[in-house]
Amino acid sequence: ILDIYGFEMFEENSFEQFCINYANEKLQQQFNQHVFKLEQAEYMKEQIKWSFIDFTDNQPCIDLIEKKMGIIDLLDEQCRMNRGTDENWVQILYKELNDSPHFQKPKTGTDQFVIVHYADK
């Protein structure tokens, strides 16, 4: 996940780092929304001559994390179970999110997952 202060790429991320990266993605999306989307819409509305600024939208990664039946929703569901485990949660992620182009099961290991971000994995 792209960190607002630069791309952080680790072999493994802890849950805490995942939450930090998620918060930074939300901040980046807020910036994108106001600086790119809303300003450009205003320029078009006012018919101001300008060059369109193309940018990569990080909303699909945010959706993967926070949508209904997304990463956080499925974690919450697993935490409510009497015998919920990390392993069960990851297996449910594999099953539920397998069709997403932004989610991958790693080639090795069954207790990890990969979020495919436009900047890297």
Side-chain angles (χ1 to χ4, degrees):
I1 294 179
L2 183 65
D3 184 307
I4 200 165
Y5 298 111
F7 191 78
E8 295 184 350
M9 197 166 77
F10 302 109
E11 281 297 312
E12 291 185 25
N13 275 328
S14 65
F15 181 70
E16 291 81 7
Q17 186 63 46
F18 170 80
C19 291
I20 290 166
N21 288 348
Y22 169 57
N24 287 337
E25 282 300 305
K26 292 291 285 186
L27 290 171
Q28 182 66 46
Q29 181 61 14
Q30 184 76 8
F31 175 83
N32 290 349
Q33 178 70 23
H34 288 282
V35 173
F36 295 122
K37 294 177 183 177
L38 295 176
E39 284 298 317
Q40 293 188 120
E42 188 67 27
Y43 282 21
M44 289 174 63
K45 178 181 167 187
E46 294 180 12
Q47 299 179 341
I48 297 173
K49 189 173 181 176
W50 58 281
S51 297
F52 183 79
I53 299 170
D54 192 26
F55 67 98
T56 304
D57 193 349
N58 65 342
Q59 189 62 52
C61 285
I62 292 171
D63 290 343
L64 175 71
I65 295 167
E66 67 184 15
K67 70 180 181 177
K68 182 144 181 74
M69 299 303 287
I71 293 171
I72 292 177
D73 196 40
L74 292 170
L75 174 61
D76 187 49
E77 181 180 284
Q78 191 65 208
C79 289
R80 293 172 191 249
M81 300 179 87
N82 287 336
R83 297 180 189 233
T85 66
D86 294 348
E87 293 78 16
N88 288 343
W89 174 56
V90 173
Q91 294 306 313
I92 291 169
L93 290 179
Y94 293 161
K95 179 183 170 198
E96 295 294 328
L97 304 176
N98 190 45
D99 293 337
S100 171
H102 299 285
F103 182 87
Q104 286 182 354
K105 179 180 177 181
K107 293 178 181 163
T108 59
T110 58
D111 62 347
Q112 302 172 358
F113 61 91
V114 177
I115 295 176
V116 181
H117 190 276
Y118 66 86
D120 205 347
K121 296 179 185 176

